[in-house]
Amino acid sequence: MGSADARPTSVSEEPPRREGPAAAGPARTAEASGERADRTAPAPARAEDSGTRDEPIDDPTPSSPAEAAGGRGERVLALRRFAAAGRRWRAARLGFCVASLAVALTAGAVVVGAARDNDTAPVASAPSGVSPELLAGGDLDTSIRALQAHLRAQPRDHGSWATLGLAYVEQARTKGDPSRYPQAQRALDRSLGLRPDDDAAFAGRAALAAARHDFTGALKYADLALRQNPYSERALCSRIDALVELGRYADASKAANLADSRHPGVPVFTRYAYVHELRGDVRTARRVLEQALATATARGDIAYVATALAQLAWNQGDYGTALTHYARALAADDTYLPALEGRARAQAAQGDTADAIRGMEQVVDRYPLPQPLVELGELYEARGKEGDPAKARDQYALVDAWVSLARANGVDADLDTALAAADHGDHESALRAARAEWARRHTVHTADALAWALHVNGHDQEALRYARQATATGYRNAAFLYHRGVIERATGHTDEARASLTAALGLNPGFSPLGAREARTALEAMK
């Protein structure tokens, strides 16, 4: 991916032509296999260990298979058990489970993190002593075990510590396990303790900061990495991500152009496309993603870019094209969570509620993260069978559990809190979280979240200003238009409300199982 001997052409050049249906642009978390910088940003890691000792700060391998099962398995299986329990138990017992989950997983992270580091996920560039093919080959367990074995033999290899830190960040993101973030921090601290100017470790800190939603920190560390290595793909991508998440879209566009000139490849292409999508330039976003897919060879890259194209198509209401791209993504990797989640969302939009619920249940069973939990809860509510309201409440309670776990591991979860609580939780908590997030960064997503939180708390005049900001860049998002239309109606702007709600349903008529239904009801009432 972007190697010197086989580098894709720049996105500013005309892409190779591809056969097949027109598609669409990048998902909200624009990343690519090997360079998966989450659109979440990170806070600087605190130096818990200087990293100058010869022995690893955390024993990188389990001493036995049983211990291995007690590490990652204990935490991830706890989430899975809790997700299953959420569908079986009623609210009285669920409250106890929420508290138990947060306590058990947080405590488990501390105990296991102190004792051993026995699991991870892949990263693109290899440290000394570990082959690039091994890390890019898709076998995450094999990759991490190779790193751990290497660090046992060569504990002063700063590059391997940096790669291990990035691997933990990636695992936390893909597995929904924030307890890996402290371990990532320690590994990156160790790398910088051994070599204070290591660009890979600075890039790793940028990725960790982004994952913790500290985008100011992410930008700081990306810049430090680029001072050491102006061509660092990871740092160039993290810099784009940070600027996007801080709402500095003009700067993000310049950063995307710079990255494209220095290190064109799948990770840069997907970010370049997302910057254009945020400005309403769907055509360019689609073209660039199709170019990225044409140049992708690794299964992980194919799955990611095809999913990004599917998400762009879904955003425009083109569900058939979206399902075609999701099928391609799953042909490359049938376990790829964003593709499974997106396919269920597209099935729901087409009215295939049964398959959508089955698919989303599978996603939540594996990784109970806030967005699929809310989506599954809304699918239950929309179906309305006996027992569905209780099932929906269980999913929303699980969101609270995840937020507690994330915060315990240094993640700013205010945006997740605001979005979920505004529709399915405590409205005052939603507003507090949305205001806190807006104080940190001004993006279209935080503007929309604040507008909606203000609306559900009855502050519609104030909400209208933020709803208009959320749609000001030209970003085509049906949920944003729906929120704006509801707020315009509440403030007496009936003609504008009718136009916004009509635009939302015209763009993506199945954007939300509940929201789309409520948009139609509101339009009917305004006739």
Side-chain angles (χ1 to χ4, degrees):
M1 202 165 52
S3 64
D5 56 345
R7 182 169 296 171
T9 59
S10 156
V11 292
S12 61
E13 301 172 17
E14 187 66 22
R17 296 196 176 273
R18 296 177 56 248
E19 297 297 327
R28 168 89 176 90
T29 52
E31 67 215 355
S33 86
E35 284 294 330
R36 304 174 189 243
D38 230 351
R39 274 212 161 70
T40 32
R46 100 174 170 273
E48 294 183 8
D49 187 275
S50 67
T52 56
R53 301 192 306 268
D54 285 345
E55 72 279 11
I57 54 176
D58 286 321
D59 184 359
T61 58
S63 59
S64 70
E67 287 187 4
R72 173 220 184 232
E74 182 174 317
R75 286 190 300 279
V76 174
L77 288 175
L79 281 167
R80 292 179 182 172
R81 287 195 301 270
F82 187 52
R87 289 192 296 276
R88 294 194 305 268
W89 295 4
R90 291 297 177 259
R93 296 187 69 187
L94 193 63
F96 173 77
C97 288
V98 170
S100 298
L101 174 67
V103 171
L105 289 177
T106 303
V110 173
V111 173
V112 176
R116 56 190 174 272
D117 288 326
N118 62 312
D119 197 27
T120 125
V123 282
S125 60
S128 57
V130 181
S131 73
E133 293 77 11
L134 182 61
L135 288 177
D139 186 339
L140 310 186
D141 292 338
T142 299
S143 299
I144 194 61
R145 282 195 295 269
L147 272 173
Q148 293 163 344
H150 175 72
L151 283 168
R152 280 190 174 278
Q154 300 291 336
R156 296 189 64 82
D157 182 348
H158 63 88
S160 289
W161 281 112
T163 302
L164 182 62
L166 280 160
Y168 286 142
V169 173
E170 171 65 1
Q171 188 203 14
R173 187 193 65 77
T174 58
K175 306 298 185 186
D177 180 9
S179 66
R180 282 295 174 190
Y181 293 139
Q183 293 169 281
Q185 178 177 303
R186 289 193 293 272
L188 293 166
D189 285 348
R190 180 64 187 266
S191 178
L192 287 169
L194 291 165
R195 183 173 174 178
D197 61 351
D198 184 14
D199 67 276
F202 281 135
R205 277 193 168 181
L208 175 60
R212 284 173 158 170
H213 296 196
D214 171 14
F215 300 105
T216 300
L219 182 59
K220 168 189 169 183
Y221 285 115
D223 284 340
L224 286 171
L226 290 170
R227 287 180 197 172
Q228 303 299 324
N229 178 7
Y231 293 89
S232 167
E233 183 180 53
R234 187 174 292 113
L236 288 166
C237 290
S238 291
R239 192 168 194 276
I240 301 168
D241 292 345
L243 290 167
V244 164
E245 294 300 337
L246 289 169
R248 294 170 54 180
Y249 298 132
D251 290 337
S253 182
K254 292 176 183 176
N257 289 335
L258 177 65
D260 181 46
S261 69
R262 289 184 179 177
H263 206 307
V266 169
V268 172
F269 287 4
T270 55
R271 288 162 171 84
Y272 187 102
Y274 185 61
V275 168
H276 280 269
E277 185 189 1
L278 285 170
R279 293 158 54 189
D281 187 0
V282 174
R283 182 177 179 179
T284 296
R286 181 185 299 116
R287 174 182 69 81
V288 170
L289 286 171
E290 288 176 342
Q291 180 177 353
L293 188 59
T295 63
T297 55
R299 287 185 300 122
D301 287 350
I302 294 169
Y304 173 69
V305 180
T307 297
L309 278 163
Q311 177 66 17
L312 184 56
W314 183 85
N315 283 342
Q316 313 310 309
D318 186 354
Y319 308 134
T321 297
L323 287 169
T324 297
H325 285 298
Y326 283 130
R328 180 164 185 187
L330 292 169
D333 180 357
D334 62 5
T335 67
Y336 189 49
L337 183 66
L340 292 168
E341 180 184 345
R343 183 178 65 181
R345 192 182 301 118
Q347 289 168 334
Q350 284 192 324
D352 188 359
T353 304
D355 281 343
I357 287 178
R358 278 193 294 270
M360 203 64 78
E361 285 175 341
Q362 292 173 357
V363 170
V364 167
D365 276 344
R366 290 172 55 194
Y367 306 121
L369 299 173
Q371 184 169 337
L373 285 167
V374 169
E375 289 171 340
L376 180 57
E378 291 188 347
L379 284 170
Y380 286 139
E381 285 196 63
R383 185 174 66 177
K385 287 186 177 180
E386 183 179 356
D388 278 348
K391 290 180 178 180
R393 288 194 298 272
D394 290 351
Q395 307 315 306
Y396 306 143
L398 283 165
V399 174
D400 293 337
W402 184 91
V403 166
S404 296
L405 173 62
R407 286 177 171 160
N409 287 279
V411 179
D412 161 28
D414 281 333
L415 187 58
D416 297 290
T417 299
L419 291 170
D423 283 323
H424 307 294
D426 180 80
H427 291 172
E428 292 183 359
S429 296
L431 183 54
R432 284 194 300 272
R435 287 195 188 279
E437 195 67 25
W438 181 256
R440 285 187 287 269
R441 55 196 182 107
H442 294 179
T443 72
V444 293
H445 292 87
T446 52
D448 172 70
L450 179 54
W452 196 238
L454 285 163
H455 164 71
V456 299
N457 280 277
H459 305 306
D460 289 304
Q461 289 296 338
E462 185 182 0
L464 184 58
R465 175 164 63 93
Y466 294 104
R468 287 171 173 167
Q469 281 187 249
T471 55
T473 68
Y475 180 46
R476 293 166 58 82
N477 186 297
F480 289 11
L481 291 167
Y482 161 65
H483 290 161
R484 176 172 173 166
V486 170
I487 294 166
E488 286 169 335
R489 184 187 181 201
T491 53
H493 297 80
T494 305
D495 290 342
E496 293 90 337
R498 189 179 294 111
S500 294
L501 293 171
T502 300
L505 292 171
L507 175 62
N508 185 355
F511 69 90
S512 161
L514 301 182
R517 183 175 67 188
E518 290 164 6
R520 293 186 183 94
T521 299
L523 280 172
E524 186 67 26
M526 287 188 289
K527 282 185 177 179

